[in-house]
Amino acid sequence: MQFFEIPRLLTREQVAKARTALSQAEFVDGSATAASIGPRVKQNLQVRPQPEIVKTVLEVIQTALMSHEAFTGAVFPRKLHLNINRYEDGMHYGDHNDAAIVGHVATAVRTDISFTIFLADPAQYDGGEMVIRTPTGDVEVKLPAGDAIVYSGSTVHRVEPVTKGARLAVFGWAQSFVGDPTKREILAQLRRTRRAIIEDNPNAGYLSELGNAYNNLMRLWTEN
Ligand SMILES: [Fe+2]
């Protein structure tokens, strides 16, 4: 999995509610959490953690992710770590690779998969494209509010300077039940195939055996 988009992960109403709630939230310098790469590369604002408003917004988004087949069927999420950021006035985040572990001991998450959920529409800001480096070149991503981009945690990526308006987004990571990306991809293929067969031919006799093989492979390859 290089990356994929999830259109309309959030409804327009959920986006509007999140934006209204976050207009009351306090944002602080995001470079404090730039690990080893330093403030030269990372210039943005991150929401001050903890307050009830932030918790409520993140809970809605966590629920949306965990109940969306496009996400769960590709990521096999075990734990999530979410945060909110804002870029304005030339802020940007240069080429980087995310830290391998985020969060504190009790809630630490290995960053197998990274994601961004846009809370601002492209018309609300200039610049701010997310750029993902792939073996065939850079890919620019700037999606409607409510859409998500999901990409491998090992990918190098950046956020271009925001030259007008403000780019508000939720970003985060998932630790997968299946740490090995090759095994994860095979399980995702099997799961898609099984669901397609259930759709086309729900009474197929071989479905229970296929389901059995899928579940047994899952048990073999998942870690806790
Ligand atoms: Fe990042």
Side-chain angles (χ1 to χ4, degrees), residues 93 96 98 151 157:
Y93 196 163
H96 68 281
D98 295 333
Y151 52 100
H157 55 277

Side-chain angles (χ1 to χ4, degrees), residues 14-94:
Q14 285 173 320
V15 170
K17 267 192 177 164
R19 288 183 61 90
T20 304
L22 291 172
S23 66
Q24 311 293 318
E26 193 186 347
F27 284 78
V28 294
D29 186 358
S31 65
T33 56
S36 55
I37 52 164
R40 201 172 47 81
V41 179
K42 184 181 184 187
Q43 289 176 17
N44 69 359
L45 300 171
Q46 274 171 207
V47 77
R48 192 181 282 286
Q50 297 310 331
E52 215 48 40
I53 346 168
V54 174
K55 256 175 74 184
T56 309
V57 169
L58 293 183
E59 270 166 21
V60 168
I61 290 163
Q62 174 147 338
T63 303
L65 279 171
M66 295 301 275
S67 53
H68 202 298
E69 174 62 23
F71 185 76
T72 55
V75 172
F76 302 100
R78 179 178 178 277
K79 296 193 260 185
L80 299 182
H81 182 91
L82 302 178
N83 206 335
I84 298 163
N85 60 16
R86 199 170 74 200
Y87 292 75
E88 55 195 28
D89 302 329
M91 291 175 189
H92 63 276
Y93 196 163

Side-chain angles (χ1 to χ4, degrees), residues 10-197:
L10 303 177
T11 63
R12 298 305 296 180
E13 198 191 355
Q14 285 173 320
V15 170
K17 267 192 177 164
R19 288 183 61 90
T20 304
L22 291 172
S23 66
Q24 311 293 318
E26 193 186 347
F27 284 78
V28 294
D29 186 358
S31 65
T33 56
S36 55
I37 52 164
R40 201 172 47 81
V41 179
K42 184 181 184 187
Q43 289 176 17
N44 69 359
L45 300 171
Q46 274 171 207
V47 77
R48 192 181 282 286
Q50 297 310 331
E52 215 48 40
I53 346 168
V54 174
K55 256 175 74 184
T56 309
V57 169
L58 293 183
E59 270 166 21
V60 168
I61 290 163
Q62 174 147 338
T63 303
L65 279 171
M66 295 301 275
S67 53
H68 202 298
E69 174 62 23
F71 185 76
T72 55
V75 172
F76 302 100
R78 179 178 178 277
K79 296 193 260 185
L80 299 182
H81 182 91
L82 302 178
N83 206 335
I84 298 163
N85 60 16
R86 199 170 74 200
Y87 292 75
E88 55 195 28
D89 302 329
M91 291 175 189
H92 63 276
Y93 196 163
D95 274 333
H96 68 281
N97 176 248
D98 295 333
I101 309 277
V102 293
H104 299 295
V105 180
T107 56
V109 168
R110 186 185 61 213
T111 58
D112 296 324
I113 286 105
S114 306
F115 50 82
T116 294
I117 299 133
F118 293 80
L119 292 179
D121 267 314
Q124 292 173 307
Y125 60 101
D126 287 350
E129 294 83 3
M130 159 139 230
V131 182
I132 297 172
R133 192 180 292 170
T134 78
T136 52
D138 286 356
V139 177
E140 266 188 16
V141 182
K142 188 171 180 177
L143 302 176
D147 287 18
I149 174 84
V150 183
Y151 52 100
S152 164
S154 61
T155 311
V156 172
H157 55 277
R158 66 176 183 271
V159 176
E160 297 285 32
V162 169
T163 53
K164 202 176 127 196
R167 176 197 196 269
L168 184 67
V170 172
F171 65 101
W173 298 273
Q175 179 171 333
S176 176
F177 272 112
V178 189
D180 182 330
T182 307
K183 290 178 178 169
R184 200 186 310 132
E185 184 59 38
I186 293 169
L187 286 171
Q189 284 172 332
L190 264 179
R191 183 180 169 117
R192 281 196 299 273
T193 307
R194 183 182 171 215
R195 290 174 75 91
I197 295 172

